[in-house]
Amino acid sequence: MHMLFKISGVILLIVGLILVHRPGLVSPHPIPTDPYQVIEKRVRWGFVIGLGLLLLFHHSWTPWGLTVSALLIALTTGIIIARLLGMLWDGFYVKQLLWLAIELGALLIFGFLYGKLKT
């Protein structure tokens, strides 16, 4: 069963990275011309990356609190990865850096919660 989760996680991770690279691949709407909006469109696919990370690295589903905190960590990490890739490809903006700082703060809080629940 763990191998199925790992394979699914790798597939979701690869699909998420592809969709972050090409955000308009499955969308019927055209890609915005504003680079800030393109980054925001890329960030949406960070959730797929996060689900892939969760399936790849978290295999204990029984304590629900630990699983929820692992889900929050994985989703936030996926969003951060997508935002960083978007900033590399589309440019750095102060508002994007602010969102990145907020997401990193949330990641620290979720990591602290995960550590407390694990002990």
Side-chain angles (χ1 to χ4, degrees), residues 8 26 71:
S8 300
V26 294
L71 174 67

PDB file of all heavy atoms in Angstrom, residues 8 26 71:
ATOM      1  N   SER A   8       1.643   7.272  -6.567  1.00  0.00           N
ATOM      2  CA  SER A   8       0.646   8.324  -6.771  1.00  0.00           C
ATOM      3  C   SER A   8       1.224   9.692  -6.429  1.00  0.00           C
ATOM      4  O   SER A   8       0.946  10.687  -7.113  1.00  0.00           O
ATOM      5  CB  SER A   8      -0.583   8.064  -5.906  1.00  0.00           C
ATOM      6  OG  SER A   8      -1.175   6.844  -6.227  1.00  0.00           O
ATOM      7  N   VAL A  26      -4.610  23.249 -19.083  1.00  0.00           N
ATOM      8  CA  VAL A  26      -5.937  22.644 -18.941  1.00  0.00           C
ATOM      9  C   VAL A  26      -7.023  23.687 -18.726  1.00  0.00           C
ATOM     10  O   VAL A  26      -8.172  23.338 -18.511  1.00  0.00           O
ATOM     11  CB  VAL A  26      -5.963  21.615 -17.786  1.00  0.00           C
ATOM     12  CG1 VAL A  26      -5.079  20.443 -18.095  1.00  0.00           C
ATOM     13  CG2 VAL A  26      -5.590  22.255 -16.475  1.00  0.00           C
ATOM     14  N   LEU A  71      -0.939  17.402   6.173  1.00  0.00           N
ATOM     15  CA  LEU A  71      -1.600  17.913   4.972  1.00  0.00           C
ATOM     16  C   LEU A  71      -1.375  19.412   4.829  1.00  0.00           C
ATOM     17  O   LEU A  71      -1.055  19.898   3.738  1.00  0.00           O
ATOM     18  CB  LEU A  71      -3.099  17.605   5.024  1.00  0.00           C
ATOM     19  CG  LEU A  71      -3.948  18.200   3.912  1.00  0.00           C
ATOM     20  CD1 LEU A  71      -3.591  17.562   2.582  1.00  0.00           C
ATOM     21  CD2 LEU A  71      -5.418  18.042   4.217  1.00  0.00           C
TER      22      LEU A  71
END
